[in-house]
Amino acid sequence: MDHETPSLEVPRKVLSVIFHLLPILSFKFHVKKCRCWNCREDAKFLDPFILLDEFTVSSPAGFPDHPHKGFEAITYMLEGAFATQDFNGHKSILKAGDVQWLNTGRGIIHSEMSAAEGQNKALQLWINLSSEHKMLEPRSMEVESRDVARVEKGDFNVAVIVGESHGVRSAVDTVTPIMFLDFTLKPGAQVRQGVPRSWNAFAYVLEGEGVFGHPSAPPATEFQAVLLGDGDGVEVWNHSSEKSLRFLLIGGLPVGEPVVHRGPFVMNTEAEVEEAIQDFRNNRNGFQRRS
């Protein structure tokens, strides 16, 4: 391996595999959701992440105006396109491979609607903000697919959505430090990726079948999330002789604060969530621009 490939003193092992990416069906959209992770017994190993959605929306449906508060979101388009708009006047069209970072901060109202015929597919990751950052002014930015940082090796490649991999860094910096990496391993390939010891981390398999943490570990398959234990990085193997493996590696610095997640609001207490709901209804404390 070359000098940009990390040597791992303590490779992370698999703690558990999260199987419940269950589909939620509604009018013309289909969502697979890692539900409210702060409700899980192993929530401390998933901090600062709130949930991961993989959703497919058929034109002309989508998600009309709705509020958010208290977290960051990374939207990663896989197929088709979405038109996004918020009450700050920010508009964008996200196409396949594009990335949007949104800091919902003290409150924002936005929409995400289909912008292409057929199926429009994306991933969205919610990242908790610490209490000191929950009242930041909302902000967003986009990175087109052609500008996404990438690592191209002989037997694997990485799209660096957030963070750093093999000496290449993303243009996106989140308030809560994280990494969001999209790996593709050719048949028979192996890869190592460093992850700070103080961070939590998990992998989510998009295509194929991968082995994480130890070459003899049971493989994880599509739509499964692999929760990783302590260590300074992770090793991954694609034992298939025919199919590529595509997975996301996501890690982040734990916030270490109580989480109350109700619908579009992520706060520290029930009282704060109730206050956010009342603020939204009454156009105040971050939602003044709603009217």
Side-chain angles (χ1 to χ4, degrees):
M1 293 187 178
D2 61 40
H3 68 282
E4 293 176 342
T5 299
S7 59
L8 305 180
E9 294 183 2
V10 184
R12 292 176 181 243
K13 305 301 182 184
V14 175
L15 291 179
S16 63
V17 176
I18 302 173
F19 292 94
H20 66 292
L21 279 175
L22 300 175
I24 301 172
L25 298 174
S26 186
F27 177 69
K28 288 197 173 181
F29 69 86
H30 181 189
V31 179
K32 291 186 176 71
K33 185 186 295 282
C34 281
R35 296 177 181 276
C36 186
W37 279 342
N38 54 289
C39 301
R40 292 177 53 91
E41 291 182 2
D42 50 16
K44 66 179 181 180
F45 299 110
L46 289 161
D47 185 4
F49 304 108
I50 305 300
L51 58 79
L52 175 69
D53 280 348
E54 180 179 348
F55 56 89
T56 302
V57 181
S58 298
S59 180
F63 308 94
D65 286 355
H66 58 282
H68 286 301
K69 184 172 184 172
F71 64 95
E72 300 172 87
I74 299 293
T75 302
Y76 183 30
M77 287 299 303
L78 300 178
E79 181 181 332
F82 275 98
T84 71
Q85 183 174 354
D86 64 46
F87 68 3
N88 285 332
H90 188 89
K91 299 180 181 180
S92 64
I93 301 292
L94 299 177
K95 299 179 181 179
D98 292 353
V99 178
Q100 182 187 68
W101 166 73
L102 171 65
N103 180 358
T104 69
R106 65 196 300 256
I108 196 167
I109 297 173
H110 76 154
S111 63
E112 301 152 297
M113 302 300 295
S114 300
E117 294 299 319
Q119 291 191 334
N120 302 277
K121 185 176 181 180
L123 287 154
Q124 191 170 90
L125 177 71
W126 289 18
I127 308 145
N128 193 22
L129 287 167
S130 66
S131 55
E132 66 177 315
H133 292 136
K134 286 188 184 294
M135 294 305 288
L136 291 172
E137 288 296 324
R139 292 179 52 219
S140 62
M141 68 172 290
E142 289 78 35
V143 180
E144 294 185 2
S145 178
R146 64 186 178 185
D147 296 322
V148 171
R150 298 183 189 278
V151 178
E152 302 283 348
K153 300 291 185 179
D155 53 359
F156 72 91
N157 62 70
V158 191
V160 187
I161 309 306
V162 185
E164 185 173 348
S165 179
H166 294 77
V168 174
R169 185 157 190 87
S170 166
V172 178
D173 281 321
T174 51
V175 177
T176 301
I178 73 160
M179 61 168 53
F180 187 129
L181 308 175
D182 180 2
F183 279 90
T184 300
L185 273 63
K186 292 181 179 180
Q190 173 189 355
V191 71
R192 293 177 185 168
Q193 173 63 46
V195 181
R197 286 290 298 264
S198 59
W199 288 18
N200 288 326
F202 71 96
Y204 176 60
V205 180
L206 290 171
E207 300 173 11
E209 191 173 85
V211 173
F212 296 82
H214 191 278
S216 62
T221 59
E222 293 180 23
F223 313 130
Q224 291 183 346
V226 179
L227 184 58
L228 299 168
D230 183 47
D232 58 355
V234 62
E235 294 183 83
V236 185
W237 294 263
N238 179 7
H239 290 326
S240 172
S241 60
E242 299 179 355
K243 295 183 179 180
S244 292
L245 163 66
R246 185 181 180 189
F247 68 94
L248 304 179
L249 179 62
I250 298 173
L253 180 67
V255 172
E257 296 179 356
V259 175
V260 178
H261 168 210
R262 194 190 308 170
F265 306 115
V266 179
M267 304 302 290
N268 295 104
T269 67
E270 289 285 353
E272 289 174 346
V273 170
E274 186 57 37
E275 182 180 19
I277 293 170
Q278 295 306 316
D279 288 343
F280 168 63
R281 290 173 177 170
N282 294 289
N283 302 334
R284 67 191 183 199
N285 293 336
F287 293 107
Q288 295 92 328
R289 283 163 288 185
R290 178 188 181 191
S291 55

